[in-house]
Each structure stands twice: as structure tokens, then as C-alpha cells.
């Protein structure tokens, strides 16, 4: 049984090192994690659609000298986009809706030792939705003008053009709403001890959305977009990365 446990530990260690090596370039990790911390998303920001820039998670960790940090952020990320165009008589309309959630991690925020984990801002989810259409409209009725040209009191010439007809708008609408869980590993090198209090780690998110469009005469457009933050967590591992590693 002890031999089996030793084999299992070796395999687990190999998988861990391979996973980290896929994220960084240079030599493999020199030592495994010796400390960790866990934080959960602040419930006050759940399902916020117009959050702007805000701190969504906070964690703390005490580290040894000459240690680095792997900061794994997991987050549910929801996107909602709606685009609509309408028109008639050959008008062309375009509607665009955009939404995104970006995340970054800060060490010891608000202190002289404040640092941002590499690579800085990371896009957890993003969508740009564009709907464009040229629409003729729905023909309702046409007024025909006839003329008696030979005096026999029987109209024998005339007709109509599109200006003599009534059209109602044709309308196309597209809505997409998705939610997915995403993860990214941030890195901080040479974290240091920061005294007896240890480090604070803040996860910031930036939610943004916009809509725009354009149309020719006779057309119209409308749109809406939102991005939503759901459940999330951060796991911080204290590691020793290879010397002079290049991120």
C-alpha cells in the first residue's frame, strides 16, 4: 500500500509541474506549493450587469522569503446581447451590441508594495454581435391613378409607383444569452513576506457593455447588451519558480 501511495504522489507531482510549465516559458518549477489561500466571490456583486470596476474577491496569505505565487481565478461569466433592425423600401440598417468581463489580480492593494499579477487584465468573456439587413417592407396597399385619354369616359391609362404604395416595416431581432465558467492562472514573482501580517490579494473585475448602429432613410435600429458576474473563487499557491524565468 505504501508503495502504491508513493507512485500516486509521483504521478500527481508530474501532472502539476507539466500544468505550470504550459503557462510559463523557461525551466520547470523548482519546488511544489508550500502554502495556499482560498477566497470566494463577494455575494454583493453576484449577477451585477453594470458593475464597472470593482473588487469582487479578497484573500490573504503568509509567504516565505523568495517565493512566488500562482493565483488561479475561476469565475462564472454571463453575456446578454440583443440586436434589432427594421426598414422598408430597400433601407439598410445595422445594429451592434458588445459586452465583456475583464479580470486582474492585485497584491497588497493600496500599499507601497502594490503590484499587479502578470499578465494584467485578462478577458474572461466577450461578445460582439452585429445584425445587418436590407429590407423592402411589407406592402399594404397602392393607390392607382387612371386617366381617360380618348374621351369615352373609360379610363385607359395610368399606373402607380412605389411612392403611391403604403409599406409597413419589416423587423428582424436576434438575442443571445449565455453563461459559462472560466479560469485563468495569474503569476506573481518574488512576493516576499510582507512582515507578520502577510499579503492581501484582491481580484478586480471590469464589466462593460455598449450598443450602436446606423441606418439609411426609412430604416431603424435598436440594441442592448449586458455582462454578468456569477459565482467565483480564487486559489493562491505559494511556489518556487525557476530562476530568471520568462513569463
Amino acid at each position: 500500500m505504501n508503495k502504491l501511495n508513493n507512485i500516486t504522489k509521483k504521478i500527481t507531482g508530474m501532472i502539476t509541474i507539466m500544468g505550470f510549465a504550459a503557462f510559463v516559458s523557461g525551466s520547470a518549477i523548482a519546488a511544489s506549493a508550500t502554502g495556499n489561500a482560498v477566497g470566494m466571490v463577494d455575494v454583493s456583486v453576484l449577477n451585477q450587469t453594470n458593475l464597472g470596476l470593482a473588487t469582487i474577491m479578497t484573500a490573504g496569505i503568509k509567504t516565505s522569503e523568495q517565493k512566488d505565487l500562482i493565483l488561479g481565478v475561476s469565475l462564472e461569466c454571463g453575456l446578454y446581447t440583443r440586436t434589432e433592425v427594421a426598414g422598408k423600401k430597400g433601407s439598410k440598417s445595422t445594429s451592434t451590441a458588445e459586452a465583456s468581463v475583464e479580470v486582474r489580480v492585485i497584491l497588497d492593494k493600496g500599499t507601497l508594495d502594490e503590484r499587479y499579477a502578470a499578465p494584467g487584465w485578462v478577458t474572461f468573456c466577450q461578445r460582439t454581435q452585429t445584425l445587418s439587413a436590407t429590407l423592402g417592407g411589407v406592402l399594404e396597399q397602392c393607390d392607382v391613378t387612371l386617366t381617360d385619354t380618348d374621351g369615352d369616359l373609360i379610363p385607359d391609362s395610368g399606373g402607380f409607383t412605389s411612392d403611391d404604395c403604403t409599406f409597413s416595416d419589416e423587423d428582424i431581432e436576434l438575442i443571445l444569452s449565455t453563461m459559462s465558467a472560466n479560469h485563468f492562472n495569474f503569476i506573481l514573482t518574488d512576493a516576499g513576506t510582507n512582515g507578520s501580517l502577510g499579503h492581501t490579494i484582491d481580484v478586480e473585475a471590469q464589466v462593460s457593455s455598449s450598443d450602436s448602429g446606423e441606418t439609411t432613410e426609412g430604416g431603424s435600429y435598436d440594441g442592448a447588451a449586458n455582462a454578468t458576474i456569477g459565482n467565483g473563487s480564487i486559489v493562491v499557491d505559494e511556489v518556487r519558480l525557476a530562476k530568471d524565468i520568462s513569463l
Side-chain angles (χ1 to χ4, degrees):
M1 180 61 73
N2 290 336
K3 183 179 294 185
L4 179 60
N5 288 338
N6 290 334
I7 294 174
T8 302
K9 289 179 181 179
K10 289 181 180 179
I11 294 175
T12 303
M14 290 174 61
I15 293 174
T16 301
I17 291 174
M18 290 174 63
F20 287 145
F23 181 76
V24 298
S25 60
S27 303
I29 288 177
S32 60
T34 57
N36 55 71
V38 178
M40 299 296 291
V41 71
D42 182 355
V43 294
S44 67
V45 302
L46 290 178
N47 300 319
Q48 293 293 311
T49 58
N50 295 292
L51 189 62
L53 176 62
T55 298
I56 60 171
M57 287 184 279
T58 300
I61 187 172
K62 292 185 178 181
T63 57
S64 306
E65 290 285 356
Q66 298 179 334
K67 287 299 177 71
D68 311 302
L69 299 178
I70 302 290
L71 308 107
V73 178
S74 300
L75 195 66
E76 283 185 331
C77 191
L79 296 173
Y80 171 87
T81 50
R82 179 180 66 84
T83 50
E84 181 181 5
V85 294
K88 56 189 175 184
K89 296 185 179 181
S91 62
K92 182 178 180 178
S93 300
T94 300
S95 178
T96 300
E98 300 179 80
S100 66
V101 174
E102 296 176 290
V103 175
R104 68 181 178 185
V105 179
I106 307 175
L107 182 73
D108 300 326
K109 181 179 178 180
T111 71
L112 295 177
D113 298 319
E114 178 178 301
R115 291 172 57 197
Y116 293 92
W121 283 111
V122 172
T123 301
F124 265 53
C125 58
Q126 181 180 39
R127 181 191 302 140
T128 299
Q129 177 180 311
T130 300
L131 178 63
S132 182
T134 300
L135 301 171
V138 179
L139 180 61
E140 299 287 346
Q141 67 178 34
C142 294
D143 296 325
V144 181
T145 301
L146 299 177
T147 304
D148 177 12
T149 59
D150 55 11
D152 61 359
L153 303 179
I154 300 175
D156 47 30
S157 68
F160 64 94
T161 66
S162 60
D163 293 333
D164 299 314
C165 299
T166 301
F167 293 86
S168 60
D169 287 346
E170 285 185 283
D171 188 287
I172 300 176
E173 183 179 35
L174 175 63
I175 296 175
L176 292 176
S177 180
T178 56
M179 174 70 81
S180 60
N182 304 280
H183 180 88
F184 193 88
N185 285 326
F186 295 81
I187 289 181
L188 268 167
T189 57
D190 299 323
T193 61
N194 199 35
S196 60
L197 297 178
H199 296 288
T200 60
I201 297 160
D202 290 277
V203 180
E204 290 188 337
Q206 184 169 262
V207 175
S208 60
S209 60
S210 64
D211 59 90
S212 60
E214 58 183 14
T215 185
T216 57
E217 185 177 357
S220 63
Y221 64 87
D222 190 19
N226 277 316
T228 303
I229 291 175
N231 297 305
S233 64
I234 177 173
V235 177
V236 184
D237 285 319
E238 181 188 37
V239 298
R240 176 74 65 81
L241 297 175
K243 187 177 180 181
D244 299 325
I245 198 165
S246 176
L247 300 181

